[in-house]
Amino acid sequence: MPNVKLDAGDIRILRALQADGRLTNQELAERVGMSTSPAWRRVRRLEQEGVIRGYQAVLDRRTLGLGVLAFVRVRIDSHSESEARRFEEEVLGLCEVIACHSIAGEADFLLQVVAANLDAYAEFSMNVIRRLTGIKEMHTMFALKEIKSLSGLPVAEQGVAAPAAG
């Protein structure tokens, strides 16, 4: 996907929506210093161009009873495209896996997994992850303290990074 050109108005809109995705169009326009119609048109364009992929509520995993956050490095047996794709498809169906990345280095994939507690993680790890197609090796690291979680992406004009909203 090619980079999309963003001007200062687009950046103000993206930062405002990352900080609060529930803003009404009127509130957004006021916050970014535009009138309502141009702000609405810009948001629609950013959605159509794929810059804005959707709107979500940010949930607190601990309040939901998900006290364990684990990162699991996975190596698969074969590096064939079909085996990697089959592994990816299986992971997509696991709600406990909240993120999965294909990575370079000592492992092939990095999974981010949540569980209620260590016993629940152990059960999921042994009975689900280890049984995924082509698993050769897995290594789990537990988050002891969450210092910073995803709160938005840095958006800036012309490829210069800027602080994320939040």
Side-chain angles (χ1 to χ4, degrees):
M1 174 188 277
N3 288 344
V4 174
K5 284 268 193 202
L6 302 174
D7 66 20
D10 295 334
I11 291 166
R12 287 193 311 272
I13 287 171
L14 293 173
R15 287 179 180 165
L17 288 175
Q18 283 191 116
D20 184 354
R22 295 183 69 184
L23 292 172
T24 66
N25 190 50
Q26 179 67 38
E27 291 168 332
L28 176 63
E30 289 171 8
R31 190 164 296 179
V32 300
M34 294 181 185
S35 59
T36 307
S37 293
W40 180 83
R41 282 193 298 273
R42 282 175 182 257
V43 169
R44 292 297 167 252
R45 179 181 51 79
L46 292 166
E47 291 170 346
Q48 291 167 352
E49 290 176 345
V51 175
I52 298 174
R53 292 187 0 206
Y55 301 87
Q56 296 177 322
V58 178
L59 308 179
D60 185 296
R61 70 177 169 81
R62 287 181 199 89
T63 302
L64 293 171
L66 300 169
V68 171
L69 175 61
F71 298 89
V72 184
R73 290 187 324 207
V74 173
R75 289 179 65 197
I76 57 176
D77 286 325
S78 165
H79 291 93
S80 72
E81 186 176 334
S82 64
E83 186 165 316
R85 184 158 288 134
R86 196 164 57 248
F87 175 85
E88 292 169 8
E89 289 170 359
E90 290 178 15
V91 166
L92 287 172
L94 303 174
C95 62
E96 295 89 345
V97 177
I98 60 172
C100 175
H101 302 274
S102 176
I103 60 173
E106 295 179 5
D108 300 306
F109 296 94
L110 179 65
L111 310 179
Q112 190 173 357
V113 178
V114 292
N117 53 46
L118 287 174
D119 290 336
Y121 174 77
E123 177 79 18
F124 178 73
S125 167
M126 300 306 287
N127 294 322
V128 179
I129 297 176
R130 283 208 186 271
R131 294 184 180 168
L132 293 174
T133 300
I135 292 282
K136 179 178 184 177
E137 180 182 309
M138 63 181 269
H139 177 80
T140 300
M141 298 165 285
F142 293 103
L144 299 177
K145 181 179 179 183
E146 197 167 342
I147 311 297
K148 181 179 181 179
S149 60
L150 179 64
S151 61
L153 298 175
V155 290
E157 202 167 347
Q158 301 171 347
V160 179

